[in-house]
Amino acid sequence: HTGDGNGNGNGNGEYNDEEDIDKNVNKAIELDVMKAAMRSSSSEDGTALNSILFHQGLHALVCHRLSHRLWNNGRTGLAYYIQSTVSRKYSTDIHPAAKIGRGVYLNAGSAGVVIGETAVIDHDVTVLQGVTLGGTGKERGDRHPKVRRGVILQQSCSVLGNIVIGEGAV
């Protein structure tokens, strides 16, 4: 995804919306709630209120947004504590440094989700149960996948290494 003048890229195909996310965390959470309400597979859960109260993936995502903000402000100990607590509670391990766009649907469920430190997830991405966005263990620095706008990561898929998943891929 290249830049569109709205902070959705830098024109070089690289995601650089982190500052926008941090400044508009309330908007990001609002869009995450809407996405959770729309994407919920249960007909009973199709409301924003039910998503806020019961959707574990949404809870994990909101907690990540808090830990990410703490991480960016140098409070790494507290950010790691939140990550560890969320990992135990929701089986979702998202490194506090991972960059996640707005309107993301995270279906944590019983099979956990793992998102590594240098992973980047653009706006309007769907992440289903059991997804791993990790490194190969052989690299240093920028070693995790970059997931572009509108991608759907199906159940139990593993994407390893510093690769780009193109816009709209399934």
Side-chain angles (χ1 to χ4, degrees):
H1 176 67
T2 58
D4 62 4
N6 294 320
N8 295 323
N10 65 6
N12 298 321
E14 295 179 18
Y15 178 88
N16 80 350
D17 208 19
E18 181 177 346
E19 290 136 20
D20 184 44
I21 290 169
D22 288 342
K23 289 179 184 174
N24 295 307
V25 72
N26 291 341
K27 184 66 172 175
I29 292 171
E30 177 184 335
L31 292 171
D32 295 340
V33 169
M34 290 171 48
K35 184 74 112 179
M38 291 186 315
R39 290 293 317 260
S40 180
S41 60
S42 172
S43 61
E44 298 170 7
D45 287 345
T47 68
L49 179 59
N50 281 338
S51 294
I52 290 168
L53 294 175
F54 305 115
H55 197 280
Q56 292 185 2
L58 178 62
H59 297 169
L61 190 55
V62 170
C63 289
H64 166 73
R65 294 196 185 285
L66 171 64
S67 70
H68 182 71
R69 179 165 255 186
L70 291 166
W71 182 270
N72 287 338
N73 288 317
R75 306 217 33 214
T76 57
L78 186 54
Y80 274 134
Y81 175 76
I82 292 171
Q83 174 198 9
S84 176
T85 302
V86 168
S87 180
R88 281 192 311 275
K89 174 79 174 158
Y90 300 116
S91 298
T92 303
D93 189 3
I94 307 173
H95 193 283
K99 299 173 187 173
I100 300 180
R102 297 183 299 268
V104 171
Y105 176 69
L106 179 65
N107 184 359
S110 59
V113 170
V114 178
I115 301 173
E117 177 180 11
T118 62
V120 176
I121 299 175
D122 208 338
H123 306 302
D124 301 318
V125 171
T126 297
V127 180
L128 299 179
Q129 297 181 43
V131 168
T132 298
L133 300 176
T136 62
K138 299 177 183 178
E139 301 171 16
R140 290 214 178 282
D142 191 7
R143 61 195 178 280
H144 296 98
K146 310 305 176 254
V147 180
R148 298 297 182 231
R149 182 183 295 260
V151 170
I152 299 174
L153 297 170
Q154 296 288 351
Q155 291 180 333
S156 301
C157 81
S158 292
V159 183
L160 303 177
N162 186 11
I163 63 171
V164 175
I165 308 299
E167 187 169 334
V170 177

